[in-house]
Amino acid sequence: MSSMTMTIRVPTDVSDKLARLAKGTRRSRSFLAAEAVAAYVDRELSIIDGIEQGIADVAARRVVPHDIAMDRVDAVIAKARADRA
């Protein structure tokens, strides 16, 4: 896997915590920062993908009216409660 160098500014307290984490995990600060950035980017892109899919579903009229959706949710909750009893 290829990589590139980035320079970022973080508050001193974050840098101190990262150094403490690096020491405690025997990992480099660079490794931990790269892992954190990768996790953040993946999570945010997943959110954007979901929003874009939702917009596409609305445009294609692949939607369920709110009252019907809520009836379905209420039915699932009622069944779960009945099964528990």
Side-chain angles (χ1 to χ4, degrees), residues 17-65:
K17 290 175 185 177
L18 182 59
R20 186 173 150 217
L21 182 61
K23 183 178 179 183
T25 59
R26 295 183 176 176
R27 297 283 192 169
S28 70
R29 292 184 324 148
S30 178
F31 174 86
L32 294 174
E35 290 289 306
V37 169
Y40 174 81
V41 168
D42 287 346
R43 185 186 75 229
E44 294 299 309
L45 284 176
S46 177
I47 291 168
I48 289 171
D49 290 344
I51 291 168
E52 290 173 347
Q53 181 62 54
I55 292 169
D57 287 342
V58 168
R61 302 174 90 39
R62 291 185 300 261
V63 295
V64 175

